[in-house]
Amino acid sequence: MQQFSDAKWSFVTRGVVDREATRLGSLSREARLGDLVAARVVSLNAHDSLENAHGRRVRLYPGDVVVGAYGNRYATDYYEGYLPTGTAAHLLTAGGVIGQVASAHAHRNEPTDLEVLGFLTGPTGAPLSLDDFAVPLPAPAAPELGTFVVVGSSMNAGKTTTASALVQGWARAGLRVGAGKVTGSGSGKDRWMYEDAGAAAMVDFLDFGMPSTFGYPQERLTATMVGIRDELVRRGASVVVLEIADGLLQSETRALTACLPGFADAAVLAVADALSAVAGVEIMHALGVPVRTISGLVTASPLASREAVEATGIPVLSPSELVTGGALDLLSAVAVPA
């Protein structure tokens, strides 16, 4: 099929090492999370471009064939989406997650419509999944200087900016920093932020075979969180920062946060306002996770920051303060005994 040979491969397919060995097969069974599929663009709406396997945005046109992966999406400010039940589907993310929109934020346009053409198959003719290209779980390994986890009160609370500030603060001090994204939807955006901040190693859930983590069993998500930490240490990181997506009211985020005692050396909470700081600290305390520092969008307002400090008794540090000393202070406060 000529159109398939000219297909635009999305970011979630970055681990497919030999594209020439893949073929376009039929839709021989029901959709599963992680299935690699080819789909034709029917109409362009919210997503008029695709993030390719190298992270560059490429323009989409009606009739284009894209290669992506079946997945769900949980985004309170964008789409709620699930596996499609037929050939009609939507582009859930610019990174190439393909599913069917169930609900959308009022300010978002209609999704880009796709027609699924078939599964990608390997030499045996069996459908391929991102699981076929996942890295194996590494041996357990704790970083010398500790594991730090950033969680948030909601989407767009400033989690990635906070994690990147920690990376930059430690990297400027000459440390070899590992950064990982535990949950979310496959995209290069956060990886580039970590890299630009100075991370020496980056690993995310996509490396472990998931295009989007929403809907996967909790046991797998927990194993992936540990595996990301271990893989970063295997790649030479002496200190690790991990970001958990979405907010604390999201069930998977909440369950992963409950696993932090005994795993994380410190938790940092990113919030948008002081009231979110109070609620977030209370939720994490109930889960047995003390919050060491508060950051995020709340720090754009000195007044809101003071409200958060007065209400929680926890230091509030802006990303710039984390870069210029706060990250090192946090590291010193939870120094791992020799």
Side-chain angles (χ1 to χ4, degrees):
M1 179 180 176
Q2 183 62 35
Q3 286 178 299
F4 176 61
S5 65
D6 296 331
K8 294 176 176 177
W9 292 67
S10 64
F11 186 79
V12 298
T13 71
R14 71 166 196 256
V16 180
V17 292
D18 189 1
R19 297 180 187 177
E20 300 302 319
T22 63
R23 299 290 182 268
L24 181 61
S26 63
L27 294 172
S28 54
R29 56 166 172 74
E30 292 184 352
R32 298 175 186 171
L33 295 175
D35 282 337
L36 287 164
V37 294
R40 180 185 293 112
V41 176
V42 176
S43 64
L44 292 172
N45 292 296
H47 292 105
D48 59 3
S49 63
L50 188 75
E51 194 177 39
N52 72 10
H54 305 289
R56 186 178 78 82
R57 290 268 180 160
V58 295
R59 191 78 179 178
L60 290 176
Y61 298 93
D64 278 351
V65 173
V66 301
V67 178
Y70 278 151
N72 301 327
R73 188 177 187 190
Y74 185 107
T76 53
D77 70 347
Y78 219 108
Y79 292 146
E80 173 194 12
Y82 299 92
L83 289 173
T85 55
T87 59
H90 300 128
L91 189 58
L92 298 183
T93 71
V97 179
I98 294 173
Q100 205 159 37
V101 170
S103 71
H105 191 281
H107 293 165
R108 298 299 180 182
N109 293 332
E110 291 294 312
T112 289
D113 292 310
L114 304 174
E115 176 195 4
V116 180
L117 302 174
F119 294 118
L120 261 66
T121 65
T124 66
L128 292 171
S129 167
L130 288 182
D131 283 332
D132 296 315
F133 304 95
V135 300
L137 284 172
E144 176 187 359
L145 300 177
T147 299
F148 298 79
V149 179
V150 177
V151 297
S153 58
S154 65
M155 289 192 68
N156 297 320
K159 296 182 294 296
T160 304
T161 301
T162 298
S164 297
L166 290 170
V167 170
Q168 191 174 5
W170 293 327
R172 284 187 174 185
L175 303 180
R176 186 171 176 84
V177 186
K181 187 75 178 281
V182 177
T183 57
S185 297
S187 171
K189 177 172 63 70
D190 293 350
R191 291 177 65 91
W192 312 143
M193 284 189 66
Y194 299 152
E195 181 176 323
D196 293 345
M202 291 157 290
V203 179
D204 63 17
F205 54 86
L206 187 55
D207 292 306
F208 287 86
M210 292 177 283
S212 173
T213 53
F214 178 45
Y216 277 90
Q218 192 63 44
E219 295 78 7
R220 177 163 179 180
L221 298 182
T222 303
T224 298
M225 178 171 72
V226 176
I228 290 172
R229 188 275 311 270
D230 296 344
E231 179 65 15
L232 288 168
V233 176
R234 192 189 71 80
R235 298 185 186 187
S238 61
V239 60
V240 165
V241 58
L242 303 178
E243 177 190 348
I244 301 177
D246 302 312
L248 283 165
L249 295 183
Q250 204 266 7
S251 60
E252 292 155 348
T253 297
R254 195 181 183 114
L256 283 169
T257 302
C259 296
L260 296 185
F263 171 77
D265 294 285
V268 177
L269 178 66
V271 299
D273 53 49
L275 185 58
S276 298
V278 173
V281 168
E282 289 180 353
I283 289 172
M284 293 184 71
H285 179 75
L287 295 173
V289 183
V291 176
R292 182 73 62 167
T293 301
I294 294 170
S295 190
L297 287 180
V298 67
T299 64
S301 167
L303 183 56
S305 296
R306 291 202 302 272
E307 285 183 349
V309 172
E310 291 168 4
T312 66
I314 296 171
V316 174
L317 297 177
S318 68
S320 62
E321 289 172 325
L322 289 172
V323 170
T324 56
L328 287 176
D329 290 342
L330 181 62
L331 192 65
S332 300
V334 297
V336 178

PDB file of all heavy atoms in Angstrom, residues 79 120 143 160 167-168 170 238 257 310:
ATOM      1  N   TYR A  79      -9.101  16.247  26.530  1.00  0.00           N
ATOM      2  CA  TYR A  79     -10.013  15.161  26.176  1.00  0.00           C
ATOM      3  C   TYR A  79     -10.000  14.046  27.206  1.00  0.00           C
ATOM      4  O   TYR A  79      -8.961  13.745  27.810  1.00  0.00           O
ATOM      5  CB  TYR A  79      -9.612  14.525  24.828  1.00  0.00           C
ATOM      6  CG  TYR A  79      -9.785  15.394  23.615  1.00  0.00           C
ATOM      7  CD1 TYR A  79      -8.888  15.296  22.542  1.00  0.00           C
ATOM      8  CD2 TYR A  79     -10.822  16.299  23.504  1.00  0.00           C
ATOM      9  CE1 TYR A  79      -9.036  16.067  21.408  1.00  0.00           C
ATOM     10  CE2 TYR A  79     -10.970  17.088  22.373  1.00  0.00           C
ATOM     11  CZ  TYR A  79     -10.073  16.972  21.336  1.00  0.00           C
ATOM     12  OH  TYR A  79     -10.222  17.737  20.217  1.00  0.00           O
ATOM     13  N   LEU A 120      -0.428  -2.657  12.600  1.00  0.00           N
ATOM     14  CA  LEU A 120       0.905  -2.941  12.090  1.00  0.00           C
ATOM     15  C   LEU A 120       1.275  -4.355  12.508  1.00  0.00           C
ATOM     16  O   LEU A 120       1.005  -4.759  13.641  1.00  0.00           O
ATOM     17  CB  LEU A 120       1.924  -1.952  12.653  1.00  0.00           C
ATOM     18  CG  LEU A 120       2.297  -0.785  11.726  1.00  0.00           C
ATOM     19  CD1 LEU A 120       1.092   0.104  11.519  1.00  0.00           C
ATOM     20  CD2 LEU A 120       3.453   0.004  12.313  1.00  0.00           C
ATOM     21  N   PRO A 143      19.366   5.564  43.599  1.00  0.00           N
ATOM     22  CA  PRO A 143      20.382   6.579  43.307  1.00  0.00           C
ATOM     23  C   PRO A 143      21.115   7.006  44.567  1.00  0.00           C
ATOM     24  O   PRO A 143      20.545   7.048  45.662  1.00  0.00           O
ATOM     25  CB  PRO A 143      19.557   7.737  42.719  1.00  0.00           C
ATOM     26  CG  PRO A 143      18.191   7.546  43.275  1.00  0.00           C
ATOM     27  CD  PRO A 143      18.000   6.076  43.412  1.00  0.00           C
ATOM     28  N   THR A 160       5.866  19.910  35.516  1.00  0.00           N
ATOM     29  CA  THR A 160       7.050  19.744  34.660  1.00  0.00           C
ATOM     30  C   THR A 160       8.031  20.890  34.853  1.00  0.00           C
ATOM     31  O   THR A 160       9.249  20.682  34.876  1.00  0.00           O
ATOM     32  CB  THR A 160       6.629  19.641  33.186  1.00  0.00           C
ATOM     33  OG1 THR A 160       5.700  18.566  33.034  1.00  0.00           O
ATOM     34  CG2 THR A 160       7.836  19.371  32.297  1.00  0.00           C
ATOM     35  N   VAL A 167      16.005  19.691  38.180  1.00  0.00           N
ATOM     36  CA  VAL A 167      17.065  19.191  37.294  1.00  0.00           C
ATOM     37  C   VAL A 167      18.130  20.265  37.094  1.00  0.00           C
ATOM     38  O   VAL A 167      19.342  20.008  37.234  1.00  0.00           O
ATOM     39  CB  VAL A 167      16.473  18.765  35.938  1.00  0.00           C
ATOM     40  CG1 VAL A 167      17.602  18.485  34.935  1.00  0.00           C
ATOM     41  CG2 VAL A 167      15.595  17.532  36.083  1.00  0.00           C
ATOM     42  N   GLN A 168      17.685  21.470  36.775  1.00  0.00           N
ATOM     43  CA  GLN A 168      18.636  22.532  36.485  1.00  0.00           C
ATOM     44  C   GLN A 168      19.470  22.886  37.715  1.00  0.00           C
ATOM     45  O   GLN A 168      20.690  23.097  37.625  1.00  0.00           O
ATOM     46  CB  GLN A 168      17.899  23.769  35.980  1.00  0.00           C
ATOM     47  CG  GLN A 168      18.813  24.841  35.406  1.00  0.00           C
ATOM     48  CD  GLN A 168      18.043  25.993  34.791  1.00  0.00           C
ATOM     49  OE1 GLN A 168      16.821  26.053  34.870  1.00  0.00           O
ATOM     50  NE2 GLN A 168      18.744  26.921  34.186  1.00  0.00           N
ATOM     51  N   TRP A 170      20.327  21.003  40.250  1.00  0.00           N
ATOM     52  CA  TRP A 170      21.319  19.968  40.536  1.00  0.00           C
ATOM     53  C   TRP A 170      22.384  19.879  39.450  1.00  0.00           C
ATOM     54  O   TRP A 170      23.557  19.688  39.740  1.00  0.00           O
ATOM     55  CB  TRP A 170      20.619  18.616  40.689  1.00  0.00           C
ATOM     56  CG  TRP A 170      19.745  18.536  41.901  1.00  0.00           C
ATOM     57  CD1 TRP A 170      19.945  19.148  43.108  1.00  0.00           C
ATOM     58  CD2 TRP A 170      18.510  17.817  42.020  1.00  0.00           C
ATOM     59  NE1 TRP A 170      18.924  18.853  43.979  1.00  0.00           N
ATOM     60  CE2 TRP A 170      18.033  18.034  43.339  1.00  0.00           C
ATOM     61  CE3 TRP A 170      17.766  17.018  41.151  1.00  0.00           C
ATOM     62  CZ2 TRP A 170      16.838  17.470  43.795  1.00  0.00           C
ATOM     63  CZ3 TRP A 170      16.585  16.448  41.606  1.00  0.00           C
ATOM     64  CH2 TRP A 170      16.121  16.678  42.916  1.00  0.00           C
ATOM     65  N   SER A 238      22.984  10.005  39.549  1.00  0.00           N
ATOM     66  CA  SER A 238      23.270   9.979  40.988  1.00  0.00           C
ATOM     67  C   SER A 238      22.112  10.553  41.794  1.00  0.00           C
ATOM     68  O   SER A 238      22.019  10.332  43.006  1.00  0.00           O
ATOM     69  CB  SER A 238      24.553  10.754  41.293  1.00  0.00           C
ATOM     70  OG  SER A 238      24.417  12.108  40.896  1.00  0.00           O
ATOM     71  N   THR A 257       0.942   7.813  44.383  1.00  0.00           N
ATOM     72  CA  THR A 257       1.425   8.641  45.488  1.00  0.00           C
ATOM     73  C   THR A 257       1.453   7.849  46.784  1.00  0.00           C
ATOM     74  O   THR A 257       2.367   7.999  47.606  1.00  0.00           O
ATOM     75  CB  THR A 257       0.540   9.892  45.637  1.00  0.00           C
ATOM     76  OG1 THR A 257       0.541  10.625  44.397  1.00  0.00           O
ATOM     77  CG2 THR A 257       1.061  10.808  46.736  1.00  0.00           C
ATOM     78  N   GLU A 310       1.476  30.170  55.162  1.00  0.00           N
ATOM     79  CA  GLU A 310       0.764  30.363  56.421  1.00  0.00           C
ATOM     80  C   GLU A 310      -0.234  29.242  56.686  1.00  0.00           C
ATOM     81  O   GLU A 310      -0.447  28.833  57.834  1.00  0.00           O
ATOM     82  CB  GLU A 310       0.054  31.719  56.399  1.00  0.00           C
ATOM     83  CG  GLU A 310       1.017  32.902  56.439  1.00  0.00           C
ATOM     84  CD  GLU A 310       0.339  34.221  56.130  1.00  0.00           C
ATOM     85  OE1 GLU A 310      -0.909  34.225  55.949  1.00  0.00           O
ATOM     86  OE2 GLU A 310       1.028  35.258  56.064  1.00  0.00           O
TER      87      GLU A 310
END
